[in-house]
Amino acid sequence: MLLDRTTTQPSLISLFSSTSSNPTLLAHLEAAKDSNESFISLLDDGTDERETLLAWNGSSQADLQARSASLVAQRDSAGTALQHLRGQVLHLQAPDCRTTYIRFGSLDKGKCKEDGLGVHLPVVHFQLKELGQEMYLDIAVVDDKDEMTVVRCSTWQPEVELLPATDSYPRLLYLPLHLPSSNTTTPILTRWSTLSLPLHTLLSSTGLRFKAVVGVEVHATCRLRRYWFTEEGMSAEVDEAMVKRGMMREMALYAAD
């Protein structure tokens, strides 16, 4: 439910942590219904072991073998030279990135008041791993007139573009998404990175005033460790001191190991 502007919220809100006890409890998971290679699972980033399959529409032994083979092929194509994380992450994989995603809240402009997140913190952070395939993020926000804009960051978008709303879809602010890749001349240690989006600044550049985030979708193919919201100028990481002050360890945010 969309929270009232007067509702007091903490200066940091974490909506997803892959290391928590039930990280997708409040999420909607969707995998393509016509592809046995489209799935979402929790697994160890370094080894792909200890996998828990969360969303998949296959049923036969042949489907299972095809899914397993697609995971192996994806890992082989990514290579092993770069460093991994130690621990559980969310893996989203699909031949068509539009079909497979994890969603919190609502991106439906007709339902955002009832089903939206209502997070008033203006900066959203993602810990993501690029896997050499197309992927994108959608963040649905409402302005001070309660009109929705979807901020979409995709790996194939060449430049910033603002598309007007239609009867069926909200306004779309399209942004290029550049993540670390092994296919570059600049040396990197890992494909993991932290992406921070100042939503209030992005909206103000189009003449709009940020009010709240109502929905977030992360689409295949990528790996997700955490995403969270902060105030402007606040550190993108949560340190050990926050745990000592009483924050649940599974909700604390740490830099990559």
Side-chain angles (χ1 to χ4, degrees), residues 71-167:
L71 179 59
V72 172
Q74 185 280 316
R75 180 173 180 81
D76 290 345
S77 66
T80 58
L82 300 179
Q83 294 183 7
H84 306 288
L85 295 182
R86 296 191 301 272
Q88 180 174 265
V89 299
L90 188 74
H91 178 87
L92 302 99
Q93 182 171 328
D96 184 346
C97 60
R98 297 172 297 176
T99 65
T100 301
Y101 56 86
I102 178 173
R103 181 178 69 233
F104 286 82
S106 175
L107 280 80
D108 186 330
K109 66 179 184 179
K111 298 181 179 179
C112 66
K113 290 187 177 181
E114 294 77 20
D115 301 332
L117 296 173
V119 175
H120 300 312
L121 300 178
V123 186
V124 60
H125 312 271
F126 299 87
Q127 283 187 338
L128 290 168
K129 184 179 185 180
E130 185 270 338
L131 294 175
Q133 295 176 248
E134 292 182 343
M135 61 88 56
Y136 69 97
L137 312 167
D138 276 350
I139 305 101
V141 300
V142 292
D143 57 27
D144 56 349
K145 298 179 180 179
D146 286 333
E147 295 182 354
M148 180 186 288
T149 299
V150 173
V151 179
R152 174 170 293 172
C153 304
S154 77
T155 54
W156 64 85
Q157 180 69 9
E159 59 187 18
V160 177
E161 186 176 6
L162 181 63
L163 303 178
T166 67
D167 293 339

Side-chain angles (χ1 to χ4, degrees), residues 217-228:
E217 282 185 356
V218 178
H219 284 249
T221 294
C222 67
R223 288 186 175 179
L224 177 66
R225 193 186 191 198
R226 294 186 173 96
Y227 85 79
W228 67 101

Side-chain angles (χ1 to χ4, degrees), residues 200-249:
H200 55 324
T201 302
L202 293 172
L203 258 66
S204 66
S205 68
T206 64
L208 304 173
R209 294 184 60 185
F210 171 86
K211 179 180 179 181
V213 178
V214 294
V216 177
E217 282 185 356
V218 178
H219 284 249
T221 294
C222 67
R223 288 186 175 179
L224 177 66
R225 193 186 191 198
R226 294 186 173 96
Y227 85 79
W228 67 101
F229 298 89
T230 65
E231 294 177 342
E232 182 179 11
M234 186 175 179
S235 171
E237 303 293 346
V238 178
D239 57 28
E240 186 71 17
M242 298 193 74
V243 179
K244 294 179 179 178
R245 291 198 297 269
M247 177 180 285
M248 293 176 59
R249 180 171 296 275

